[in-house]
Structure formats: structure tokens, C-alpha cells
Amino acid sequence: MYHDFNYEATLASSLRAQWQLDDVLREDQALDFSRNFMPESLARTAALGSLNPFEQRILNQISAHQYLCIFGVVEEFILPFLLDHARPALRDDDYRVRALLNFASEEAKHIHLFKRFHEAFVRGFPVECQMIGPSEAIGAEVLRHDPLAVALVILMIEWMTQQHYLGSIRDDGDLDPLFKSLMKHHWMEEAQHAKLDTLIVDALGEGRSEAQIDQAIDEFFEIGGFLDEGLKQQAAFNLDALEKVIGRKLDDRDEILAQQHQAARWTYIGSGMVHDRFKATLATLSARAAERMAEAAPVFA
Ligand SMILES: [Fe+2]
Ligand SMILES: [Fe+2]
């Protein structure tokens, strides 16, 4: 076995690591808009030489707004997926049922937390930032795919949050402490989710032929392509918001758009795709699946 995850131990770790919303952000707290919100390893705004430091920070904060919205969207499809996965076997293994329902409940809490951060953002930011959606439509499009493909997307997303937190502690003394705390608390619970996702993928992959796994990987890439289109659209919305705040049109908008789209690809897809644990799960599923993922990964770097 390439891992030693099980429902009983994961449930116990989850219950130990749990926190409350107010531990991360109280309803009356304000974000510090004199600082960056996103680690540079994800936002890549300091690399934009045509923007002055103030403009770079505004775009960094808009990129954090995107983070709150994108995670809101993905957690909204993770939640029903988990309930659907748990429901057919509610009488079998008590630890499994409790671990999966606890996982679902934590995702509902994360949705709540991301909304609370979003409200704090809106209170402090000078213009309205547009967001792709509606999240129900995005969720429905993702969930119409093979459950194994969806489970792999979720596994990738949950491992990527590990990478995000590590990036945020590594690179930035200047980050808003509340945003840093958001990444830390998300990381704490997602670490357990990723183990449960691994067990879900194992279960859904069991007994599948090579051709059926290949089909699921096709669908994984379909979902990835769909999400990537959304990221491209979102990058354009982000620049609209930046132009509104700074009161000028960007001369090199196309270059910035491409660079910011690429930053989002890395943040929301690539950083999960190259995670060692994600790669290990794929390799166990099939050597061909791991190969196909490795070939695609550079597009999202
Ligand atoms: Fe989450
Ligand atoms: Fe999660």
C-alpha cells in the first residue's frame, strides 16, 4: 500500500485539529488593506514591472478576492459530492460514515468562513470585483462527470491547499495576518480531507479496467479545461477591477492578462497536479494516468 490512511485515525486527527470560525475571523474584524493578502508564489503580482508598488498590491488583493470566490465555488461542489458518496453505505463502517460526514461538515464551515472573509473584503475594498459563476452552474457542470474524475479533481484541490499554506509562510513577512491565518486554518483541516479523498479515489478506482481509468482521466481533463476557461475569464474581471481602482486603462493589458491567468493556473490546478501525494495516488491507479498528468503539468506551471 502506498499510504497508511484509514477512516478511524483520520477522524481522530480531524477532531483534534478542529477550529471555530471566530478563531480565524470574527464578524467585526477588518482586513489590513495596507498589506498584501496573497503570497507572491501564488499571486505573482510583484513580477509585473509595468505596475507601481501600489498597483501591484491592489492586484494582489484582487487576486485574494478571487481566492475566496474560487474556493467558495469548489467547496460548494465538494459538499454534495461527499454526501452522495457517503449515502449508499451509511450502515457499513461507522468510522467511515462519521469521517465523511465530519469532512462534509468542515467543508460547510469553510464555505461559511470564505463568505465571512468575502464580506470583510467587500467592506474594505473601494470597488466591486466581479466573479465568475453562478457557483451552482459551475458545480453542476463538474458533478455531471464520472465520480472518479470528480474525486481526482477534489483530491488535487485538497493537496494544493497544503502547498498554498507553505508558500504563504515561506515568502511573506508583509502578508495580512488574517489572510495568513485563513491559509493556516484551511491547511490544518484540508490535510485530513486529502487523506479521505485518497480513500475515496481508491474505492472508486477499484475493479476498473485500464480503459475505464483512461476514460476517467479524459473526464478529469475535461473538468480541468472547463475550470481553466473560468480562470481566464476571472483574470479579465480582475483587471477590470484593477483599472477601476487605479483610474486608467492598462497599456499592456494582454500581457498582464496572460501572466495573471498563468498565476491562477498554478494556484488552482498546477500546484495540486505536481503534489507528490497526488502523483502517488495516480500512479497506483495506473501508470498511464500518471504519465498523462505529468505531460499536462507544465501547461499549469
Ligand atoms: Fe475546505
Ligand atoms: Fe477540504
Side-chain angles (χ1 to χ4, degrees), residues 6-18 95 99 102 192:
N6 67 71
Y7 288 110
E8 184 179 351
T10 308
L11 175 65
S13 307
S14 280
L15 296 177
R16 275 196 303 274
Q18 256 172 9
Y95 285 118
N102 181 63
Q192 305 311 319

Side-chain angles (χ1 to χ4, degrees), residues 1-297:
M1 201 59 178
Y2 69 102
H3 64 74
D4 59 357
F5 307 151
N6 67 71
Y7 288 110
E8 184 179 351
T10 308
L11 175 65
S13 307
S14 280
L15 296 177
R16 275 196 303 274
Q18 256 172 9
W19 40 261
Q20 303 302 315
L21 247 54
D22 284 356
D23 300 336
V24 192
L25 185 74
R26 292 191 320 274
E27 258 174 314
D28 62 342
Q29 270 179 301
L31 304 174
D32 180 356
F33 283 88
S34 71
R35 301 201 196 204
N36 282 334
F37 292 168
M38 288 293 279
E40 175 62 17
S41 57
L42 304 179
R44 299 183 184 173
T45 47
L48 292 166
S50 66
L51 301 183
N52 67 39
F54 167 77
E55 295 168 338
Q56 288 172 355
R57 192 172 66 233
I58 293 293
L59 187 57
N60 179 291
Q61 291 168 353
I62 294 170
S63 147
H65 173 269
Q66 158 179 274
Y67 196 83
L68 299 172
C69 295
I70 299 274
F71 268 94
V73 165
V74 302
E75 309 241 1
E76 273 182 44
F77 69 71
I78 295 176
L79 184 54
F81 179 81
L82 285 172
L83 294 176
D84 288 349
H85 183 74
R87 191 172 176 91
L90 290 179
R91 287 165 177 276
D92 295 353
D93 171 350
D94 293 325
Y95 285 118
R96 175 185 179 274
V97 173
R98 290 181 59 206
L100 290 175
L101 292 183
N102 181 63
F103 178 177
S105 156
E106 287 178 354
E107 293 300 23
K109 182 177 70 182
H110 297 174
I111 292 170
H112 196 169
L113 180 67
F114 283 116
K115 279 186 195 159
R116 193 178 272 192
F117 266 86
H118 188 257
E119 283 156 16
F121 186 94
V122 169
R123 282 199 301 276
F125 200 69
V127 305
E128 193 190 329
C129 302
Q130 204 181 336
M131 182 55 210
I132 53 168
S135 56
E136 299 92 294
I138 297 175
E141 173 59 23
V142 171
L143 291 172
R144 75 174 178 78
H145 289 88
D146 180 339
L148 177 57
V150 179
L152 283 168
V153 169
I154 295 173
L155 177 70
M156 175 182 82
I157 290 169
E158 312 235 49
W159 282 128
M160 88 181 37
T161 61
Q162 305 301 293
Q163 176 69 35
H164 293 175
Y165 171 61
L166 296 176
S168 81
I169 45 172
R170 207 170 27 227
D171 19 78
D172 273 284
D174 186 39
L175 282 193
D176 171 41
L178 290 170
F179 242 91
K180 213 166 173 168
S181 168
L182 169 71
M183 297 240 174
K184 180 178 181 180
H185 285 85
H186 201 214
W187 164 77
M188 282 162 63
E189 291 189 347
E190 296 294 303
Q192 305 311 319
H193 297 180
K195 294 179 190 171
L196 295 175
D197 292 326
T198 304
L199 295 169
I200 293 173
V201 168
D202 289 349
L204 292 171
E206 216 174 83
R208 294 217 189 194
S209 67
E210 189 67 35
Q212 286 169 328
I213 290 174
D214 222 35
Q215 173 65 31
I217 299 296
D218 286 345
E219 294 201 26
F220 172 94
F221 283 122
E222 250 176 62
I223 298 170
F226 167 71
L227 295 176
D228 186 41
E229 271 305 304
L231 294 177
K232 189 174 178 190
Q233 175 63 59
Q234 186 58 48
F237 286 155
N238 292 352
L239 295 190
D240 294 344
L242 174 64
E243 287 178 337
K244 252 192 275 173
V245 177
I246 66 179
R248 69 176 174 90
K249 294 281 170 205
L250 300 163
D251 300 329
D252 52 350
R253 185 178 159 114
D254 289 348
E255 287 84 1
I256 297 182
L257 185 70
Q259 191 265 9
Q260 284 293 293
H261 176 209
Q262 197 60 33
R265 280 177 154 173
W266 167 251
T267 303
Y268 303 103
I269 300 174
S271 56
M273 241 181 192
V274 300
H275 196 286
D276 284 341
R277 292 285 202 171
F278 180 65
K279 290 197 290 191
T281 295
L282 276 171
T284 308
L285 210 50
S286 98
R288 163 119 183 97
E291 238 171 66
R292 291 182 66 190
M293 203 63 65
E295 278 164 19

